[in-house]
Amino acid sequence: MNQPFFITFEGIDGAGKSTHIDALAAAFRAAGRSVTLTREPGGTPLAEKLRAIVLADPMDALTEALLIFAARRDHLQQVIEPALAKGDVVICDRFTDATFAYQGGGRGFDLEILSTLERWVQQTSVAPGDGIRQPDLTLWFDLATDIAAARLAGTRVPDRFEAQPVAFFEQVRAGYARRMALDPDRFARIDAGQGREAVWASVRAAIPSGYLTS
Ligand code: TYD
């Protein structure tokens, strides 16, 4: 099993992706795979600068979407595509589903424009199918918004997204559900309200058989 494999983690803030991202990377490495672990917005020096701006500076929704897709373009070109080309497992903390959920759902930004940007930014001659790079598997950590808000409360100074009210995260969550409905085979919905061990079992169960054994 040395085919490239592109996995993304998604969910509202407070859904609890982080520890499972690290555990999954470790599990793939234990199975002998080379893993590129990265995140969005970010993952390159330029994209990390754009991340800092997007998370802190006030801006309108189109500016926000353009900066996020600019960061994504650089990240794809510099990190994700080269890693997939050498057969890595690429694990990315958030990707374009977050843009449809946060900018599309949360901010109410035009989904057609997001789809256009998605096609421009993710176009590559080496992606299978229609030539638009998409994850092979997306693990959507789904959690009720009040539980996520309670988990986040008091943990750190909130960024521009974490500071949003629960109603915003209801829209984000609905945005994720819509994305999953459009491409159900790519998604695994993880019930993030379970205990940590049960969540981890769900994550492992979502990985196709053979990938986690050496
Ligand atoms: P997150 O991934 O939760 O990182 P951390 O755990 O360090 O806070 O933070 C990134 C934030 O950016 C998150 O609130 C969601 C937001 N975001 C968007 O709004 N659109 C996007 O396309 C992406 C990738 C993230």
Side-chain angles (χ1 to χ4, degrees):
M1 281 278 180
N2 270 319
Q3 299 105 310
F5 195 35
F6 181 20
I7 305 174
T8 57
F9 278 71
E10 297 285 357
I12 59 173
D13 291 274
K17 304 172 270 117
S18 304
T19 54
H20 297 287
I21 291 174
D22 292 340
L24 189 62
F28 273 111
R29 287 183 179 127
R33 295 296 306 261
S34 171
V35 175
T36 293
L37 185 56
T38 187
R39 70 170 181 182
E40 291 217 345
T44 70
L46 171 59
E48 290 290 333
K49 288 184 199 162
L50 294 175
R51 174 191 178 93
I53 294 169
V54 166
L55 294 188
D57 294 6
M59 64 189 75
D60 87 328
L62 175 58
T63 308
E64 188 174 288
L66 290 170
L67 290 179
I68 286 169
F69 271 113
R72 180 161 301 134
R73 177 71 181 177
D74 193 55
H75 189 211
L76 277 162
Q77 296 230 301
Q78 305 292 333
V79 173
I80 296 176
E81 292 297 346
L84 293 173
K86 69 182 179 70
D88 269 20
V89 175
V90 175
I91 301 178
C92 192
D93 184 353
R94 302 189 182 281
F95 193 63
T96 304
D97 299 310
T99 315
F100 280 84
Y102 280 78
Q103 281 63 53
R107 301 265 192 242
F109 187 69
D110 191 313
L111 299 178
E112 282 301 312
I113 296 177
L114 295 183
S115 293
T116 301
L117 291 170
E118 178 184 35
R119 281 195 301 278
W120 282 358
V121 165
Q122 289 163 230
Q123 185 121 43
T124 162
S125 56
V126 295
D130 59 6
I132 310 296
R133 174 65 69 194
Q134 296 291 0
D136 299 305
L137 174 66
T138 297
L139 301 172
W140 171 32
F141 276 49
D142 189 28
L143 185 64
T145 51
D146 53 342
I147 300 174
R151 283 186 186 174
L152 276 184
T155 51
R156 58 186 171 189
V157 178
D159 62 35
R160 280 178 66 236
F161 298 102
E162 291 162 348
Q164 293 293 321
V166 164
F168 175 89
F169 289 104
E170 290 291 350
Q171 298 300 328
V172 174
R173 192 180 181 201
Y176 278 125
R178 273 196 302 276
R179 276 294 267 189
M180 180 167 171
L182 290 172
D183 198 358
D185 293 346
R186 173 165 69 82
F187 275 83
R189 179 186 165 278
I190 307 290
D191 176 0
Q194 308 171 93
R196 183 175 292 193
E197 286 305 316
V199 171
W200 174 238
S202 303
V203 168
R204 282 197 67 118
I207 307 301
S209 60
Y211 275 92
L212 286 178
T213 45
S214 48

